[in-house]
Amino acid sequence: MIDPETLSVTIVDGYVDEPAHFGVPPYVSTYPRYTAGALVDAGVRPEAITYHTIDGLRDEPSQWQDVDEADLLVYLGGMTVPGKYVGGTPAEPDEVREIAWTANGTSLMGGPVRFGVGEANEGGTETTRQDLDFDFVAKGDVEAAAFDLVESGLEGFGDRMRDVEEVTRWAELGAFVVEDHPNHPDYLICELETSRGCAYRCSFCTEPLYGSPSFRPPESVIAEVEALSEHGVRHFRIGRQADILAYGGDGEAPNPDALRELYGGIREVAPDLQTLHLDNMNPITVVKWPEQAREGIRIIAEHNTPGDTAAFGLESADPVVQAENDLNVSAEECLEAVRIVNEEAGWRPGDDSRRGPAAGPDGPRLGPSVGPDAPRRLPKLLPGINLVHGLKGEREETYELNLEFLRTVYDEGLLLRRVNVRQVMAFAGTEMSETGASIAKDHKRLFKRYKRTVREEIDNPMLERVAPPGTVLPDVHLEYHRDGKTFGRQLGTYPLLVAIPGERELGRTIDVAVVDHGYRSVTGVPYPLDLNAATMDELQAIPGIGRKRAGDLVVNRPYGSVDEAFADASMTDTDVDLASFATIRSLERRR
Ligand code: SF4
């Protein structure tokens, strides 16, 4: 029998993306944390567990030695929704195979990869189940497989799911592993699980393969947050769930008390957290139980950090597609859910007039904070809309109906944080596997045209409404350079991509003020902008300044005050609100 205390284990994270679980940097999924915890619970020493990401292996070839020499190699990965990623590149099937070939010890593969492997992580594709040359593939929970495998002396395991007691223990025990993540501690966000499974059965979705929802009690999640905080984590997303509003209830109806306990408890054990966001909310829960839902949404908005998004899976506004794919919410219901979230949580920090219970469906609608007097921060919580194409029954009108829905939201003056349109990936075990990607392939051109219309007609003006010029985005992490600009994002759920003029040092974090809008990204300048040091590009980027005034501002430096700069560049009679972007730093401070 192998003594677990003598075992060395290497965990390789190839990243995951599931309908209700994200783990591409800067996110770390629950899989490596729970697997590390399960190994420790089985008797493996924490010091004998090494954690690498696939990007780490690519960047540091010496890390392959840990793959080679470990007694047990655990690979975690799998993408069951299509996506493009900025923060990391998910493992390719060939790389995963190479990991299996390199491992000299026992090799175990698990995570959503068990649902299937596609040639590419993009819409309009089909997948097949593959073992990619690993000794063992976990067809149940990989963390349970890791635990049982160690217990059996690396002989084998029965495929099973873990229970709530186990996840509570493993989540806490495995929190230490985040310290090995290349993004730790400052640019790392931990995905938190509150439940798995779903009460509904949409044809394309892998989440029902986890069964009906089972919830982790608040104390289990809170203890995990406390453990992660002790290991330096300051950013969290409650993203591993199909519907945050259903948390702690009967599986469908909201339970505001459970939400209060969860969010309040997290704030208590991690008082200095910097990000607390969520991911999924089912619009049908909002409209079926409006009063409990309103209370739940208010609780979230009181405890979260600004810029939070509740992703609504409308999936299709076409009743034919809805019926053929067992979708659970109609366009009218989704519209009402959008209104409710706007009313209860669309306020911006500092706008106390709109904070608190909205007047309800019969009274005046308070709506979100908009207009020139609105505070210059992102709203607390806004809905996002997910639309999937290539589903059964899709026709040309489907595209029109989806656009009509989005136009109605815009014309009503409501806010959406983002619209996510994608083509379906067909997975074995889901109903869509019979249809596969054939409809998506047939409609590829239609989809392309429609996507452009959504970007131009909806995304761009909506973004301007959500983040008007002057909106301050604190702590933008600078990630890469392109075309003479620096690009960065805040940590959080669906963060805005921010382009800043000039090439700034990467890896740093700065506050930014929005000056312009693309379809899904914004241009910003460092906030506040020091008029005695700003570049021509930065000054010109401020709306209304233009090249000549920017030149005047540069030539007449230094200034003693913003007003002095204002006068020198003859901007007293323009609409440029320079004061809301700019500052003057003394020469001493700049040095
Ligand atoms: S509501 Fe539908 S799309 Fe959303 S998690 Fe459940 S089954 Fe999946």
Side-chain angles (χ1 to χ4, degrees):
M1 190 73 180
I2 299 172
D3 179 359
E5 283 213 13
T6 65
L7 281 181
S8 63
V9 184
T10 296
I11 298 172
V12 175
D13 188 348
Y15 310 143
V16 300
D17 191 358
E18 300 180 81
H21 194 178
F22 190 55
V24 181
Y27 281 80
V28 58
S29 74
T30 63
Y31 292 106
R33 290 145 42 201
Y34 292 180
T35 302
L39 291 165
V40 172
D41 200 27
V44 180
R45 291 172 306 117
E47 317 80 80
I49 299 173
T50 307
Y51 168 57
H52 292 313
T53 63
I54 187 69
D55 282 312
L57 288 185
R58 292 177 188 129
D59 297 345
E60 297 273 342
S62 63
Q63 292 186 357
W64 282 91
Q65 201 174 338
D66 297 324
V67 175
D68 175 9
E69 292 173 358
D71 298 315
L72 172 62
L73 180 280
V74 186
Y75 171 77
L76 306 167
M79 321 302 273
T80 61
V81 287
K84 289 199 178 110
Y85 310 98
V86 180
T89 307
E92 299 284 337
D94 283 348
E95 290 176 306
V96 184
R97 251 189 218 102
E98 198 182 335
I99 291 168
W101 294 340
T102 306
N104 252 317
T106 304
S107 60
L108 164 68
M109 174 170 82
V113 69
R114 70 190 166 100
F115 294 129
V117 177
E119 270 170 36
N121 179 227
E122 58 188 36
T125 54
E126 291 160 18
T127 65
T128 50
R129 284 202 177 121
Q130 294 178 29
D131 69 6
L132 300 174
D133 300 334
F134 278 73
D135 297 333
F136 296 103
V137 179
K139 298 194 185 69
D141 279 326
V142 63
E143 51 271 29
F147 180 87
D148 294 349
L149 189 58
V150 171
E151 288 249 298
S152 74
L154 302 186
E155 292 297 322
F157 54 87
D159 288 309
R160 69 173 178 97
M161 306 302 270
R162 30 85 171 172
D163 61 31
V164 171
E165 283 73 34
E166 285 175 324
V167 74
T168 300
R169 241 176 19 245
W170 297 346
E172 232 183 302
L173 284 172
F176 73 92
V177 89
V178 296
E179 292 192 17
D180 281 350
H181 196 289
N183 289 43
H184 181 275
D186 295 330
Y187 196 51
L188 184 69
I189 179 162
C190 284
E191 187 83 313
L192 296 174
E193 173 183 323
T194 55
S195 73
R196 297 197 300 178
C198 184
Y200 305 95
R201 298 287 179 267
C202 304
S203 68
F204 62 94
C205 182
T206 51
E207 194 57 23
L209 302 178
Y210 289 100
S212 293
S214 59
F215 300 103
R216 285 175 75 191
E219 57 276 15
S220 170
V221 184
I222 294 164
E224 181 182 11
V225 170
E226 188 168 17
L228 289 166
S229 290
E230 281 162 12
H231 289 284
V233 176
R234 296 286 171 267
H235 305 273
F236 301 92
R237 184 175 81 156
I238 307 174
R240 178 67 189 105
Q241 86 287 115
D243 181 10
I244 186 67
L245 270 189
Y247 177 69
D250 60 7
E252 292 183 60
N255 178 357
D257 290 339
L259 278 175
R260 192 175 290 111
E261 211 183 316
L262 176 73
Y263 272 86
I266 290 175
R267 280 294 193 169
E268 219 173 290
V269 297
D272 52 356
L273 66 77
Q274 289 165 18
T275 307
L276 182 58
H277 280 176
L278 62 89
D279 188 11
N280 298 299
M281 185 183 284
N282 196 329
I284 199 66
T285 315
V286 182
V287 286
K288 259 190 168 170
W289 296 275
E291 287 320 309
Q292 293 104 304
R294 281 178 184 273
E295 191 182 342
I297 292 164
R298 281 199 297 277
I299 291 166
I300 294 170
E302 288 295 333
H303 290 88
N304 68 355
T305 52
D308 198 0
T309 310
F312 279 174
L314 169 61
E315 318 301 2
S316 179
D318 182 349
V320 171
V321 177
Q322 285 165 7
E324 286 203 32
N325 295 277
D326 296 322
L327 307 184
N328 54 66
V329 69
S330 70
E332 294 71 33
E333 288 167 329
C334 190
L335 178 63
E336 180 58 12
V338 168
R339 290 185 191 120
I340 289 176
V341 174
N342 269 255
E343 286 172 15
E344 300 293 350
W347 51 276
R348 298 175 197 257
D351 192 355
D352 287 339
S353 66
R354 293 178 193 267
R355 189 171 173 167
D362 302 325
R365 292 197 182 281
L366 292 179
S369 306
V370 284
D373 298 330
R376 296 161 60 211
R377 292 293 302 277
L378 288 177
K380 282 310 283 288
L381 174 70
L382 292 179
I385 297 290
N386 293 343
L387 294 164
V388 176
H389 288 272
L391 295 177
K392 285 184 279 181
E394 183 173 285
R395 49 207 179 129
E396 226 171 309
E397 293 98 295
T398 309
Y399 291 82
E400 258 323 299
L401 288 164
N402 285 358
L403 283 170
E404 201 180 299
F405 168 81
L406 295 172
R407 286 177 187 132
T408 309
V409 172
Y410 184 76
D411 292 344
E412 273 200 27
L414 296 163
L415 300 185
L416 286 180
R417 178 48 203 82
R418 78 190 219 311
V419 181
N420 188 6
V421 292
R422 58 204 161 115
Q423 287 197 300
V424 73
M425 273 176 103
F427 278 88
T430 68
E431 247 189 73
M432 266 311 283
S433 64
E434 286 162 31
T435 313
S438 57
I439 299 174
K441 280 179 183 148
D442 288 351
H443 291 177
K444 224 156 196 157
R445 284 182 62 184
L446 203 56
F447 179 74
K448 255 190 153 170
R449 204 169 59 223
Y450 151 90
K451 201 167 166 181
R452 199 168 52 238
T453 310
V454 173
R455 299 285 168 258
E456 288 168 3
E457 253 188 63
I458 308 294
D459 284 344
N460 177 267
M462 187 62 89
L463 194 51
E464 188 150 3
R465 194 181 274 172
V466 170
T471 302
V472 176
L473 306 174
D475 300 325
V476 173
H477 188 86
L478 306 180
E479 288 179 282
Y480 61 94
H481 295 144
R482 192 189 297 153
D483 302 332
K485 296 186 190 121
T486 306
F487 289 81
R489 296 178 300 169
Q490 293 174 294
L491 269 181
T493 195
Y494 307 103
L496 282 171
L497 186 63
V498 186
I500 302 157
E503 296 201 346
R504 305 192 140 249
E505 189 187 330
L506 301 182
R508 288 187 50 221
T509 296
I510 62 169
D511 296 348
V512 165
V514 174
V515 292
D516 199 6
H517 303 82
Y519 298 144
R520 317 250 285 172
S521 60
V522 294
T523 305
V525 291
Y527 175 81
L529 194 61
D530 180 5
L531 294 181
N532 281 339
T535 65
M536 271 292 284
D537 285 346
E538 288 166 347
L539 290 166
Q540 274 192 92
I542 296 176
I545 284 201
R547 195 175 166 74
K548 173 157 185 332
R549 285 201 184 101
D552 290 348
L553 277 167
V554 169
V555 169
N556 295 328
R557 300 203 268 227
Y559 305 104
S561 69
V562 173
D563 283 347
E564 189 191 321
F566 224 90
D568 270 19
S570 35
M571 283 192 291
T572 35
D573 57 344
T574 71
D575 302 337
V576 182
D577 182 16
L578 189 61
S580 69
F581 291 93
T583 190
I584 296 292
R585 290 212 176 96
S586 70
L587 292 174
E588 294 300 305
R589 278 196 59 196
R590 275 188 286 126
R591 254 185 244 124

